Each structure stands twice: as structure tokens, then as C-alpha cells.
Amino acid sequence: MGLTIAQKIIKAHLVSGEMTVGEEVALRIDQTLTQDATGTMAYLEFEAMGIPRVRTEKSVAYIDHNTLQCGFENADDHQFIGSIAKKHGIYFSRPGNGICHQVHLERFGKPGKTLIGSDSHTPTGGGIGMLAFGAGGLDVAVAMGGGEYYITMPKMFKVELKGKLRPFVTAKDVSLEILRILSVKGGVGAIIEWGGEGIKTLSVPERATITNMGTELGATTSIFPSDEITKAFLEAEGRGEDYVELSSDPDAVYDRIIEINLSELKPLIACPHSPDNVVEVASLKGTKVNQVCIGSCTNSSLLDMLKVAAILKGKTVSPDVSLSISPGSKQVLGMLADSGALSDIIASGARVLECACGPCIGMGFSPNSGGVSLRTFNRNFEGRSGTADANVYLCSPETAVAAALTGEITDPMLLGEMPEITMPNEFKIDDSAVIPPASEEEAESVEILRGPNIKKFPDTYPVTDSIEAPLLLKVGDNITTDHIMPAGAKILPYRSNIPFLSQFCFGVCDKTFPERALKAGKSIIIGGSNYGQGSSREHAALVPLYLGVRCVIAKSFARIHVANLINAGILPLTFKNAEDYDKLNQEDSLELCGIYEGMDSGEITLINKTTGDKILLSCSFSDRQKEMLKCGGLLGYTKAKNN
Ligand code: MIC
Ligand code: SF4
């Protein structure tokens, strides 16, 4: 039987396990990336492992999230990461060099290689044929030390593209269309491969927009073949030697095939507050807009920016709209400047921000109260923009510019003729903002710079055979990590200070939770389906751990979050019958007994001591995961293994 592209890369990197759907497989990891908001913790964890030098082919530490320095905290963390990188063999991409995924695609990604990153949008690398996964910081730390990365062997989905996009319809609309079809849960447990004759009309940055947003489907990752288009991109980056051809076998078998005809697509937009709440742009015609933000790892490539500049050229932004533009990298910004396109952007009245995540993670540029903000980003979860009652919509750069010019949601197809864009054959290559690590000899004398904001890793607790604890929080479906552990300019600087962060845990759902949890000492959380969707932040597990959460019971979990819970030593269980969710109420007193036996049999009984109900719960842990839970998480497990 033939293999898909992903199966071929998995096979070439398989350390242990059977490539059977649902089985745990261990993969050798060639490259890692971190960003600063998750990186500080990941490097503290790497240090705790006591490995002097990374054992990957390439590891890169990016600074792109916490770039608003309103106090010493972020600058201290940048210094800490810079010094750790220098000492342990990691390349350091300085603040201002760009968003990790954009820069990694430009300068480091290689087709056929495996990459894990402490950021959920690491699958952007699938745009050049990498098998790239978002992961928790601890998993990245282990991979940097040469350890394997474990995934549950996914199903294979294929999206067959036909036809060609019309002017003003873009790769972002393809991402929104697949979200409309599959929803934010539709990709769970699957790798999505893109194929069909239509992919030949998509450049690498367009493919990367699509693999980037595969994360919003809950997919394990997404990937495109590596072909002559990939080759041209790598050559333009002066990295032609990194090219290898990659395609699926003609008789490869897919669990599901979805067809999209590019020629029939229309401009789409995701309405508040979920990326799959997708409608046609034309259906919202006339909705007043207060703010437009262009950028993020989804839509900040040179191609996106040149299109934006060309549409803005000679025009002025509506007086009712504030427009921000954040180019994805120093390379993109430099080329915009050299080509004169930056002048067109500036002349239009846009506010040019630095090459970083910025507004996407609430690092400034929060909308006005109740404001409508159109963003070319990938997430519009409630409160994420920094304004609790803002209404955030997700769209393409073309749709965003149309709104910025007219002051209302406008179908970009009505803008007239799309100006012709010519992409350069060679990109501007300047890696001076990437600091290489010290040599092995020099590394010993490198001093680690640790600011006062860096606090210790929370205490962990081995999972015991029984747990008795109150149900302190009951939440609904699709709870995101932004609900569990919000981000934003005010909170993000404390990612290395778990006690401080804990005050904001579940702030969007119930502000009283942290205080109640600390008081109770031990607690259980009940969630609906797709609990923990969204980001890779392990803080959404470490902070509940600090607050005493010992078990989360949900209808289903998102992939990275459930791994983070296990890594933190928190027991994740699912309802055998989803209706039993209704038999539990906040403040009920709960008991789980015979956990060890249940972890083997796959069934654990929950006793609701308040109502007397007995509820059957399910689990399917690998032997490694069971051991990890009994050791209080991955750090304890790694230490136990090394002794
Ligand atoms: C996000 O887009 O939510 C983030 C911020 O990039 C996160 C990582 C984090 O929380 O630091 C992600 O996507 O993993
Ligand atoms: Fe940064 Fe936003 Fe991309 Fe996350 S989704 S990496 S915050 S640009």
C-alpha cells in the first residue's frame, strides 16, 4: 500500500511504535523552535534536564511575542533566552527579526524534516513540506535534548484543490472555507495533506497561510508536497540546496477526501468569536468597522504585504478606521522599503508596527469598547484582543484593506481591478539579527542572565490511586487555552512567574476560580468537548497545577493541551457517555477510586458524593503516559528514567 507524504516522513523518523491509527509513535526531531512567551519556561525545563548542548540539527529561539516592554520583565526574559541560547547551541533570533513561523519558513525550514515548536502554529512549516508540530514547552525541551516526540498516529485527510483563485480571493479564504466545512474540531486526530492540480497555482507563502490555519481545525498538522514551487522559494532564499522533492504515492490511502474548487470560492470572513463561524464577506456588507489589523504568522509574508501596499497606493484610510500593519519579518520589511511599497503604506495613513505578533496576542492595539476589528489573523477568541467586549472578525488582507478604505465590511471584489504583483526572484538575505551560539569551548564561560521575574517550576504531584476533591469549575464546549490562561500585554510578561499568572486563570469564565482553588487545595474541573483548543501554552496546565487541579474531566480534549496536562501530571479523563456531563454541578464533592487499575482497563468510576451518582469515565493512556502520571509529569518521569 502506498504512503502519504506525512506517513513517509513519519516512517523515516520513527523511533518506536506502530504506524497504526490511534497508536502512540515516537519520532526523531530534526529541528526545534521556541518563542519567548513559551520559551522562558521551556529553557528553564531544558536547564533542569542538565544537558549541556542541544542534540538537534537546528534549534532556534525567537523573540516575537513579548516585545512591548512596559517594565523590566520582558527585557529580562529576552536576555535570559539569549544567554541560554548562546550557551546551549541554539540560534537566537533577536526581537525585531520577525515572527517565528515566518522567519523559520524563510531561513531554516527544510522539506522532509521534522520540526516541533512551543507554539501551536508551528505547522506553518508544512507549507514547504516539513512535518511540523506545535507542542508544549516540556516536549520541546526534551526534543532539544535529543529525546523523541510522541504523537498518536493520526488519520490522513486529503484536501484536493481544483481550479485557480480569482483576484481578491486568497489562500486565507481557502483556510476559512475548510474551517467552514470541518469546524474547529474537524481536524482532531488527523493530518491534513493538500494536493490536486490547484496547489500548483499556490506559492509557498500562500501554502503556509493554509497550513498555519490548519491549527484552528484541531489537526495534528498540515502539509503540502515539496515541488518546483518549493524549490523556487528556497532558491529565492539562497537555500536551493535544502530542496528535496516530496509527494504522496499514487496509491496512498486517505481516511477522508475533501474537494475544494478554487475558482468557485468567494471572499469569506469568520465572525466573533470562533474561527469556524464563517460567512461570505458580502453577507456582512455595510457593517461599520473601527479597526483593521494586517499581519500575524498567517498573513504577513512579502506577497501579502505587496498586495496590501498595491491596493492602498494613492488612497487614504477611512477617517473612522485605525489600520495597523505588522510585516512578518525583517526580510519582508526590508524588501517593502527597498521596493517603495512601504511608502505607499505609510502615505495611506496606516500605522506601521514592528515585525512581531503584536495585536494578534493582545500586545497592544486593543480595539475600542465594543469595537469591530477586522484582522488577518487566525484566532478571534473572546477577549484575546485585550478588549473584553470587542467583536473580532478574521479575513484576508484584501478584505481587510477593503474595510480600511471604506470604513465598513466590503467585498474586496468590488474594489475594481487587482493590481499586478511581481514577486522578486531573489529575497533580501541578511541574517545579522540571528545570533549563532557560542562554540563548545566558549560555551562554558557564557553566563546565564536571570532576572527577578523568573520563579521556580510549580510543585508536581504524582497521580495517586484515588482522588477526592470538589468540582470547582464546570465549563462548556470549545474552551480555549485563552480562557484557561489568558495572554495579552498585561499578563504575558509573567509567563515565567506561575504564582503571579495564577491570579488570571479562567478569568474570562469565572474570576473567583483562583481564590476558590487555592483555598480548596485540591480540585477537579469539568469541561465540554474540545477542551483546551487553541494555543500550545503549557501554562494552561502548569497554572491549574499550581492552583491544585488534579484532574480534568471533559467530553473530549484538544491534542496539545491533553499532552500538556499529562506532562504536568494532571489526570485527563473523558466521559464514557457525554450526557453524564449534565449529572455534575459546580461545588459537587467527587471521588475517583481505583485509578491505577482503571488506567490499565481504560475505565474509571467517578462517584458524585453529593448526588450519589456513579459515572463511567474513559481513558487510553500509553504505558509511557501512565508512568508519567504516576511520576507527577514529564520532568519527574525524565528524572526517574535517568536515575
Ligand atoms: C497564540 O497564538 O495563542 C500563541 C500566543 O502564539 C500561543 C503560544 C503562547 O501562548 O505563548 C500558541 O499559539 O501556541
Ligand atoms: Fe504570534 Fe499570533 Fe502567530 Fe500566535 S498566532 S504565533 S500570537 S502571530
PDB file of all heavy atoms in Angstrom, residues 152 170 194 203 207 252 306 361 377 387 392-393 592 605 632:
ATOM      1  N   THR A 152       0.016  10.606  18.794  1.00  0.00           N
ATOM      2  CA  THR A 152      -0.878   9.492  18.495  1.00  0.00           C
ATOM      3  C   THR A 152      -0.951   9.417  16.976  1.00  0.00           C
ATOM      4  O   THR A 152      -1.223  10.429  16.322  1.00  0.00           O
ATOM      5  CB  THR A 152      -2.274   9.778  19.083  1.00  0.00           C
ATOM      6  OG1 THR A 152      -2.088  10.036  20.468  1.00  0.00           O
ATOM      7  CG2 THR A 152      -3.215   8.604  18.899  1.00  0.00           C
ATOM      8  N   THR A 170      -8.319  34.567  -1.836  1.00  0.00           N
ATOM      9  CA  THR A 170      -6.951  34.254  -1.435  1.00  0.00           C
ATOM     10  C   THR A 170      -6.835  32.934  -0.661  1.00  0.00           C
ATOM     11  O   THR A 170      -7.839  32.310  -0.338  1.00  0.00           O
ATOM     12  CB  THR A 170      -6.441  35.358  -0.479  1.00  0.00           C
ATOM     13  OG1 THR A 170      -7.166  35.198   0.756  1.00  0.00           O
ATOM     14  CG2 THR A 170      -6.676  36.747  -1.005  1.00  0.00           C
ATOM     15  N   TRP A 194      -2.524  18.559   1.501  1.00  0.00           N
ATOM     16  CA  TRP A 194      -3.115  19.341   0.438  1.00  0.00           C
ATOM     17  C   TRP A 194      -2.558  18.881  -0.899  1.00  0.00           C
ATOM     18  O   TRP A 194      -1.353  18.693  -1.047  1.00  0.00           O
ATOM     19  CB  TRP A 194      -2.843  20.828   0.675  1.00  0.00           C
ATOM     20  CG  TRP A 194      -3.574  21.312   1.894  1.00  0.00           C
ATOM     21  CD1 TRP A 194      -3.219  21.097   3.199  1.00  0.00           C
ATOM     22  CD2 TRP A 194      -4.812  22.026   1.929  1.00  0.00           C
ATOM     23  NE1 TRP A 194      -4.154  21.638   4.056  1.00  0.00           N
ATOM     24  CE2 TRP A 194      -5.147  22.227   3.292  1.00  0.00           C
ATOM     25  CE3 TRP A 194      -5.679  22.531   0.953  1.00  0.00           C
ATOM     26  CZ2 TRP A 194      -6.294  22.904   3.700  1.00  0.00           C
ATOM     27  CZ3 TRP A 194      -6.821  23.209   1.347  1.00  0.00           C
ATOM     28  CH2 TRP A 194      -7.128  23.384   2.705  1.00  0.00           C
ATOM     29  N   SER A 203       1.653  29.749  -4.234  1.00  0.00           N
ATOM     30  CA  SER A 203       3.059  29.938  -3.879  1.00  0.00           C
ATOM     31  C   SER A 203       3.301  29.444  -2.456  1.00  0.00           C
ATOM     32  O   SER A 203       2.346  29.162  -1.717  1.00  0.00           O
ATOM     33  CB  SER A 203       3.399  31.423  -3.984  1.00  0.00           C
ATOM     34  OG  SER A 203       2.615  32.124  -3.034  1.00  0.00           O
ATOM     35  N   ARG A 207       0.650  28.686   0.604  1.00  0.00           N
ATOM     36  CA  ARG A 207       0.536  27.346   1.196  1.00  0.00           C
ATOM     37  C   ARG A 207       0.729  27.449   2.715  1.00  0.00           C
ATOM     38  O   ARG A 207       0.072  26.750   3.486  1.00  0.00           O
ATOM     39  CB  ARG A 207       1.604  26.426   0.596  1.00  0.00           C
ATOM     40  CG  ARG A 207       1.387  26.148  -0.882  1.00  0.00           C
ATOM     41  CD  ARG A 207       2.542  25.368  -1.471  1.00  0.00           C
ATOM     42  NE  ARG A 207       2.293  25.071  -2.884  1.00  0.00           N
ATOM     43  CZ  ARG A 207       3.010  24.220  -3.602  1.00  0.00           C
ATOM     44  NH1 ARG A 207       4.036  23.587  -3.059  1.00  0.00           N
ATOM     45  NH2 ARG A 207       2.715  24.008  -4.867  1.00  0.00           N
ATOM     46  N   ALA A 252      -1.632   6.007  -2.343  1.00  0.00           N
ATOM     47  CA  ALA A 252      -1.758   6.327  -0.908  1.00  0.00           C
ATOM     48  C   ALA A 252      -3.235   6.330  -0.521  1.00  0.00           C
ATOM     49  O   ALA A 252      -4.088   6.722  -1.323  1.00  0.00           O
ATOM     50  CB  ALA A 252      -1.143   7.687  -0.633  1.00  0.00           C
ATOM     51  N   LEU A 306       2.826  43.136  -0.236  1.00  0.00           N
ATOM     52  CA  LEU A 306       2.876  43.831  -1.537  1.00  0.00           C
ATOM     53  C   LEU A 306       1.465  44.046  -2.073  1.00  0.00           C
ATOM     54  O   LEU A 306       1.153  45.093  -2.666  1.00  0.00           O
ATOM     55  CB  LEU A 306       3.718  43.036  -2.542  1.00  0.00           C
ATOM     56  CG  LEU A 306       5.239  43.071  -2.319  1.00  0.00           C
ATOM     57  CD1 LEU A 306       5.950  42.149  -3.318  1.00  0.00           C
ATOM     58  CD2 LEU A 306       5.811  44.493  -2.434  1.00  0.00           C
ATOM     59  N   ILE A 361      -1.790  38.815  19.689  1.00  0.00           N
ATOM     60  CA  ILE A 361      -1.817  38.228  21.030  1.00  0.00           C
ATOM     61  C   ILE A 361      -2.113  39.305  22.083  1.00  0.00           C
ATOM     62  O   ILE A 361      -1.788  39.187  23.261  1.00  0.00           O
ATOM     63  CB  ILE A 361      -0.528  37.403  21.299  1.00  0.00           C
ATOM     64  CG1 ILE A 361      -0.651  36.546  22.539  1.00  0.00           C
ATOM     65  CG2 ILE A 361       0.732  38.240  21.292  1.00  0.00           C
ATOM     66  CD1 ILE A 361      -1.822  35.610  22.545  1.00  0.00           C
ATOM     67  N   PHE A 377      -5.668  37.672  11.108  1.00  0.00           N
ATOM     68  CA  PHE A 377      -5.033  36.710  11.996  1.00  0.00           C
ATOM     69  C   PHE A 377      -5.745  35.359  11.927  1.00  0.00           C
ATOM     70  O   PHE A 377      -6.575  35.124  11.050  1.00  0.00           O
ATOM     71  CB  PHE A 377      -5.026  37.250  13.435  1.00  0.00           C
ATOM     72  CG  PHE A 377      -4.433  38.642  13.577  1.00  0.00           C
ATOM     73  CD1 PHE A 377      -4.639  39.399  14.730  1.00  0.00           C
ATOM     74  CD2 PHE A 377      -3.667  39.200  12.557  1.00  0.00           C
ATOM     75  CE1 PHE A 377      -4.088  40.666  14.872  1.00  0.00           C
ATOM     76  CE2 PHE A 377      -3.111  40.479  12.686  1.00  0.00           C
ATOM     77  CZ  PHE A 377      -3.334  41.217  13.850  1.00  0.00           C
ATOM     78  N   THR A 387      -9.604  43.594  24.554  1.00  0.00           N
ATOM     79  CA  THR A 387     -10.840  44.332  24.854  1.00  0.00           C
ATOM     80  C   THR A 387     -11.951  43.293  25.008  1.00  0.00           C
ATOM     81  O   THR A 387     -12.306  42.615  24.028  1.00  0.00           O
ATOM     82  CB  THR A 387     -11.180  45.323  23.712  1.00  0.00           C
ATOM     83  OG1 THR A 387     -10.089  46.211  23.568  1.00  0.00           O
ATOM     84  CG2 THR A 387     -12.458  46.102  23.982  1.00  0.00           C
ATOM     85  N   VAL A 392     -14.282  40.661  17.044  1.00  0.00           N
ATOM     86  CA  VAL A 392     -13.155  40.464  16.129  1.00  0.00           C
ATOM     87  C   VAL A 392     -13.543  39.499  15.008  1.00  0.00           C
ATOM     88  O   VAL A 392     -14.085  38.420  15.262  1.00  0.00           O
ATOM     89  CB  VAL A 392     -11.912  39.948  16.890  1.00  0.00           C
ATOM     90  CG1 VAL A 392     -10.778  39.651  15.917  1.00  0.00           C
ATOM     91  CG2 VAL A 392     -11.460  40.974  17.933  1.00  0.00           C
ATOM     92  N   TYR A 393     -13.268  39.922  13.772  1.00  0.00           N
ATOM     93  CA  TYR A 393     -13.543  39.111  12.578  1.00  0.00           C
ATOM     94  C   TYR A 393     -12.198  38.743  11.934  1.00  0.00           C
ATOM     95  O   TYR A 393     -11.264  39.542  11.970  1.00  0.00           O
ATOM     96  CB  TYR A 393     -14.352  39.928  11.554  1.00  0.00           C
ATOM     97  CG  TYR A 393     -15.749  40.286  11.997  1.00  0.00           C
ATOM     98  CD1 TYR A 393     -15.957  41.294  12.941  1.00  0.00           C
ATOM     99  CD2 TYR A 393     -16.850  39.636  11.470  1.00  0.00           C
ATOM    100  CE1 TYR A 393     -17.245  41.634  13.346  1.00  0.00           C
ATOM    101  CE2 TYR A 393     -18.141  39.966  11.863  1.00  0.00           C
ATOM    102  CZ  TYR A 393     -18.337  40.967  12.804  1.00  0.00           C
ATOM    103  OH  TYR A 393     -19.607  41.295  13.204  1.00  0.00           O
ATOM    104  N   LEU A 592     -12.691   9.709  42.839  1.00  0.00           N
ATOM    105  CA  LEU A 592     -12.249   8.732  41.830  1.00  0.00           C
ATOM    106  C   LEU A 592     -11.470   7.660  42.575  1.00  0.00           C
ATOM    107  O   LEU A 592     -10.534   7.985  43.306  1.00  0.00           O
ATOM    108  CB  LEU A 592     -11.299   9.403  40.832  1.00  0.00           C
ATOM    109  CG  LEU A 592     -11.877  10.459  39.901  1.00  0.00           C
ATOM    110  CD1 LEU A 592     -10.797  11.427  39.447  1.00  0.00           C
ATOM    111  CD2 LEU A 592     -12.504   9.786  38.686  1.00  0.00           C
ATOM    112  N   THR A 605     -14.359   4.775  37.541  1.00  0.00           N
ATOM    113  CA  THR A 605     -15.671   5.222  38.023  1.00  0.00           C
ATOM    114  C   THR A 605     -15.523   6.490  38.857  1.00  0.00           C
ATOM    115  O   THR A 605     -14.664   6.575  39.737  1.00  0.00           O
ATOM    116  CB  THR A 605     -16.333   4.117  38.884  1.00  0.00           C
ATOM    117  OG1 THR A 605     -16.334   2.926  38.112  1.00  0.00           O
ATOM    118  CG2 THR A 605     -17.754   4.484  39.266  1.00  0.00           C
ATOM    119  N   GLY A 632       4.176  12.243  38.457  1.00  0.00           N
ATOM    120  CA  GLY A 632       3.824  13.658  38.592  1.00  0.00           C
ATOM    121  C   GLY A 632       4.219  14.466  37.366  1.00  0.00           C
ATOM    122  O   GLY A 632       4.468  15.663  37.472  1.00  0.00           O
TER     123      GLY A 632
END
